[in-house]
Amino acid sequence: MPEELVDTVIFEAEVSDGRNGYIAIDDIQVLSYPCDKSPHFLRLGDVEVNAGQNATFQCIATGRDAVNNKLWLQRRNGEDIPVAQTKNINHRRFAATFKLQEVTKTDQDLYRCVTQSERGSGVSNFAQLIVREPPRPIAPPQLLGVGPTYLLIQLNANSIIGDGPIILKEVEYRMTSGTWTETHAVNAPTYKLWHLDPDTEYEIRVLLTRPGEGGTGQPGPPLITRTKCAEPMRTPKTLKIAEIQARHIAVDWESLGYNITRCHTFNVTICYHYFCGHNESKADCLDMDPKAPQHVVDHLPPYTNVSLKMILTNPEGRKESEETIIQTDEDVPGPIPAKSVKGTPFEDKIFLNWKEPVDPNGIITQYEVSYSSIRSFDPAVPVAGPPQTVSKLWNSTHHVFSHLHPGTTYQFFIRASTVKGFGPATTINVTTNISAPTLPDYEGVDASLNETATTITVLLRPAQAKGAPISAYQIVVEELHPHRTKRETGAMECYQIPVTYQTALSGGAPYYFAAELPPGNLPEPAPFTVGDNRTYQGFWNPPLAPRKGYNIYFQAMSSVEKETKTQCVRIATKGKFVKVKSPPVAGCSDMSVND
C-alpha cells in the first residue's frame, strides 16, 4: 500500500443561457505517490490569544510552483483575509503569515489556508482561533482593618469575569484626589497597605492576569475608603486683628492647650490668599510659633482684600477657622509704566500721554508732571531755567505742553499720588522739532542792486535761526517760461533737492543752485552777483542768458541729526535783455536796454 493516496478530480462545467448549470466529473485518478503538480498544505494548528491582541496564522504550502501561487486565509463563513507576509523556504515550499488585528470574541471561529496555481488548488484543514477574555474581579476588595497610616483589605478575587487561569494578582491604589501611584503584587488573599496619609481617601482596585501577552484584565470595582484620624476638638476661634498697615497685618489668637489639640505635637498655620489683578490670585501658608500670641503676615499688597484663616493640624487630623477678610491700608502708588509714556513733538509744543501705575496701591487722586529744558540745538535758547509743574486730575492721563522752544530737549518727570502721597517719578526726554529759519521780509521789496545782460546783483540779508543754527544759505535760479504757473511768494515750496547747472541743463530741470554759502559768509547784509561765473561750495554760478528771464530765490537751511528745515523767498526777477535800434542821432550809437 502506498504511504499516501492523492485523489485528482477534474471538473468540467457547462454554462447555458438558462438558470440551470451542469458540472460533470470527467475522470478520477488514484495515484500511489504524492502529487507535486498541485499545491497542498501542511497541517494548520489552532491559535489562542487574549482579547485585544493580534492573532497570527502561519500556513506552509508545498508544490512545484509554490512560490508563484495565490494564497489567502479563509474564515468558515467565507470571509477572506489577505496574506501579510510570505517567506520562501525552498523552491518547492514557502510560508505565509496572516495577521488578525486586535481580535475580540466575535473573531473566534475556524480558519483555513487556501492556495491556487495553474496546476490546481490546495486547501488546508480548519484550525480554530481561540480568543480568551482577560479576567476581571466582579466585586471590590473588602476592608478588614483601618488605622491612621494603613489599610488592611481582602482581595475578594474568587469571582471573576473572563477566562482563567489566574497567574498574577495585584493591588492598585491611589488617593482619590490624585493619579494612580502604587501597584503591588500579592500572593495572599489579604494585603496591608502601609505608609498612607492620615485622614485621606483612597481608591483601591484589584488587577488579575492570565497567561499570554495582554493577559492583564481591567481593574475591578473600586473600594473607596479613608484612613483613620483623631481630629482636634474644635477649630481655633476667630482671628483677632491687632494692626493693619499697607503691607502687613498683625494677627492675635488664643492659647491652644492639649484639651483642644489632643496631641502634644501640633502645628498652627495661617493661610492667606488675595487677588492681584487680571483674576490672578496668590495664596500661601505660614507656620506659626504655637507659643507666640501674635504673628505678622507681611509682604502683602496695599489696598487689597486679604482672606485669612487659621489651621490647627496634628498627626490624626486638622481643623480650620472661618475666613476673615481684611483690607490692607493704602500706600504711595508705584511708578507709571515707562513704556506707557509717549511724547509726540511739534515745533513749539509736545503732546504727552501716559497710563495709570501698574500698582496704584490705592485710589489715584492726581498726577503731577514737572518739566524743564535740558539742552537745545539753538544756542540762543536758555536751558538753565527752573522746572515748571502741571497737575492733572486722577482721570486725566494726557496734556499738551505749549509755548516751547523749537529744537529743544525737555525732560519730564511724571508721578501719581494717593492720599498717602506721591510715588516715584518716571522720566522721559522729548525733543521738539526744529523750525525753519526766518528770512527777512522781502514782500514788495526788490533786492536787485544792479543788472547786466548776463548778471544780476541782489542784496542778501541774514536769516534768523529758530530752533537750530543756520547750516547753509542757497541761491536758486529758476528760468521763466511763459506757460509755467508762477509761484506765490508768500506760500511757496522751497527747493529741497540741490541741482547743479549741468544737471539742470542735461535733465531739463526748471531750476539750479547757483551757490551755497556757509552761514559765516553772511553775518550782515551783503550783495551777491548771480551769473558771476564762479563756483560756490561745488555749485557753478554761470552767466545768465541775455534772452531769458529768471526768478532769483534766496533760501536758508537748518539741519540737525536727521531733521532739516528750509525757508525760502523770491528776492528778484530778471527780464529778457534785447537790443533795440534807435533813430540816428549825432554822437549816439546803438545801445542795449533791459526789457
Side-chain angles (χ1 to χ4, degrees):
M1 292 294 292
E3 296 180 358
E4 181 181 3
L5 294 178
V6 180
D7 294 339
T8 301
V9 181
I10 300 175
F11 294 94
E12 178 183 344
E14 178 182 351
V15 180
S16 64
D17 295 333
R19 288 188 174 183
N20 296 327
Y22 303 94
I23 298 176
I25 298 176
D26 179 69
D27 189 15
I28 297 176
Q29 298 179 10
V30 179
L31 305 177
S32 60
Y33 57 87
C35 180
D36 62 350
K37 294 183 179 180
S38 61
H40 60 276
F41 290 95
L42 301 184
R43 180 172 182 79
L44 183 65
D46 295 341
V47 175
E48 178 178 326
V49 294
N50 291 311
Q53 303 301 307
N54 298 334
T56 302
F57 283 93
Q58 187 176 57
C59 301
I60 298 178
T62 63
R64 179 177 301 174
D65 298 321
V67 293
N68 298 317
N69 293 352
K70 295 181 181 179
L71 188 67
W72 66 93
L73 185 70
Q74 187 178 71
R75 190 171 175 174
R76 181 170 54 178
N77 63 4
E79 178 185 354
D80 292 334
I81 294 93
V83 66
Q85 182 181 4
T86 59
K87 181 180 179 181
N88 292 329
I89 298 175
N90 53 46
H91 70 285
R92 293 180 178 273
R93 177 176 297 181
F94 72 93
T97 302
F98 300 88
K99 291 186 178 181
L100 285 74
Q101 303 293 329
E102 299 178 356
V103 298
T104 63
K105 280 286 189 180
T106 60
D107 298 308
Q108 184 167 290
D109 205 345
L110 295 176
Y111 294 81
R112 66 180 178 180
C113 299
V114 180
T115 183
Q116 184 180 25
S117 69
E118 294 179 356
R119 297 179 176 275
S121 300
V123 179
S124 75
N125 63 294
F126 274 109
Q128 185 175 9
L129 172 63
I130 304 170
V131 180
R132 301 299 187 186
E133 192 70 33
R136 177 176 180 267
I138 294 176
Q142 292 182 351
L143 183 64
L144 300 180
V146 60
T149 60
Y150 72 89
L151 292 171
L152 180 61
I153 63 169
Q154 183 182 44
L155 270 61
N156 198 19
N158 293 330
S159 299
I160 65 171
I161 299 174
D163 301 315
I166 307 301
I167 62 172
L168 177 64
K169 298 179 182 179
E170 295 172 293
V171 172
E172 188 178 54
Y173 70 98
R174 69 177 180 94
M175 295 180 181
T176 55
S177 60
T179 58
W180 289 107
T181 57
E182 293 286 349
T183 302
H184 295 175
V186 179
N187 55 8
T190 62
Y191 190 70
K192 195 171 190 178
L193 298 173
W194 288 97
H195 307 296
L196 306 181
D197 291 344
D199 193 26
T200 302
E201 189 177 74
Y202 286 86
E203 182 179 280
I204 306 169
R205 299 172 182 260
V206 174
L207 291 170
L208 301 178
T209 302
R210 70 175 308 278
E213 184 178 358
T216 301
Q218 294 294 321
L223 167 64
I224 299 177
T225 186
R226 180 179 293 272
T227 53
K228 183 180 179 182
C229 70
E231 297 181 348
M233 289 296 295
R234 60 173 174 81
T235 61
K237 291 183 178 179
T238 304
L239 298 177
K240 296 180 180 179
I241 307 304
E243 183 183 12
I244 300 175
Q245 295 293 332
R247 299 181 184 274
H248 74 264
I249 297 172
V251 182
D252 291 341
W253 63 79
E254 65 175 323
S255 177
L256 300 174
Y258 180 78
N259 59 333
I260 298 174
T261 65
R262 298 186 67 186
C263 184
H264 293 288
T265 302
F266 63 92
N267 293 323
V268 176
T269 303
I270 288 184
C271 291
Y272 67 90
H273 73 269
Y274 57 85
F275 290 95
C276 47
H278 303 290
N279 292 327
E280 296 179 0
S281 63
K282 182 176 180 180
D284 200 0
C285 292
L286 306 174
D287 291 332
M288 306 291 104
D289 182 2
K291 298 180 181 180
Q294 186 180 98
H295 187 79
V296 175
V297 181
D298 52 12
H299 304 296
L300 299 176
Y303 201 62
T304 302
N305 288 332
V306 181
S307 177
L308 297 172
K309 66 180 178 181
M310 185 177 176
I311 303 176
L312 172 61
T313 60
N314 63 22
E316 301 297 333
R318 56 185 280 157
K319 289 290 184 178
E320 299 180 4
S321 69
E322 294 182 356
E323 289 189 344
T324 302
I325 299 177
I326 303 100
Q327 186 183 63
T328 52
D329 200 1
E330 291 188 70
D331 200 356
V332 297
I336 292 171
K339 292 184 178 179
S340 74
V341 182
K342 307 293 182 182
T344 305
F346 300 88
E347 290 184 359
D348 60 349
K349 61 184 177 181
I350 292 175
F351 178 77
L352 193 70
N353 64 297
W354 60 89
K355 291 184 179 180
E356 183 179 286
V358 177
D359 299 316
N361 298 333
I363 299 176
I364 300 298
T365 56
Q366 67 171 329
Y367 296 96
E368 182 184 84
V369 184
S370 298
Y371 67 100
S372 61
S373 58
I374 57 175
R375 60 180 176 272
S376 178
F377 296 118
D378 191 347
V381 175
V383 293
Q388 302 183 54
T389 301
V390 174
S391 295
K392 304 293 292 184
L393 296 176
W394 63 272
N395 59 351
S396 179
T397 56
H398 64 271
H399 186 73
V400 178
F401 298 85
S402 306
H403 308 295
L404 305 179
H405 296 288
T408 302
T409 300
Y410 290 85
Q411 190 171 62
F412 295 86
F413 297 87
I414 179 171
R415 57 181 184 169
S417 72
T418 63
V419 294
K420 295 295 184 178
F422 284 98
T426 299
T427 305
I428 184 176
N429 293 342
V430 184
T431 302
T432 54
N433 299 332
I434 65 173
S435 294
T438 302
L439 287 168
D441 187 10
Y442 283 88
E443 183 70 19
V445 177
D446 190 356
S448 176
L449 299 178
N450 187 28
E451 185 175 347
T452 69
T454 59
T455 65
I456 181 172
T457 302
V458 293
L459 180 64
L460 303 182
R461 291 182 286 176
Q464 178 67 40
K466 194 175 181 182
I470 305 296
S471 56
Y473 292 102
Q474 296 156 342
I475 293 86
V476 183
V477 178
E478 180 188 57
E479 182 181 348
L480 289 175
H481 291 277
H483 300 296
R484 182 174 295 160
T485 303
K486 293 184 178 180
R487 290 173 171 239
E488 292 295 333
T489 305
M492 61 173 293
E493 294 181 1
C494 297
Y495 297 90
Q496 303 293 340
I497 302 176
V499 178
T500 63
Y501 175 78
Q502 294 86 345
T503 302
L505 190 63
S506 61
Y511 71 92
Y512 65 92
F513 279 32
E516 183 174 283
L517 305 175
N521 288 16
L522 197 63
E524 57 185 15
F528 181 84
T529 299
V530 180
D532 63 359
N533 202 28
R534 298 172 60 185
T535 300
Y536 299 87
Q537 299 293 323
F539 294 96
W540 179 37
N541 184 19
L544 303 176
R547 293 186 178 275
K548 293 183 179 181
Y550 298 93
N551 279 333
I552 310 301
Y553 295 91
F554 178 50
Q555 61 184 30
M557 182 177 66
S558 293
S559 180
V560 292
E561 298 178 351
K562 296 182 180 180
E563 189 177 10
T564 299
K565 293 291 180 67
T566 304
Q567 179 68 295
C568 56
V569 65
R570 187 175 64 186
I571 58 176
T573 300
K574 184 182 185 304
K576 297 179 181 179
F577 193 90
V578 298
K579 290 184 179 181
V580 178
K581 291 186 178 181
S582 301
V585 179
C588 297
S589 61
D590 290 346
M591 58 185 303
S592 297
V593 297
N594 195 352
D595 284 348

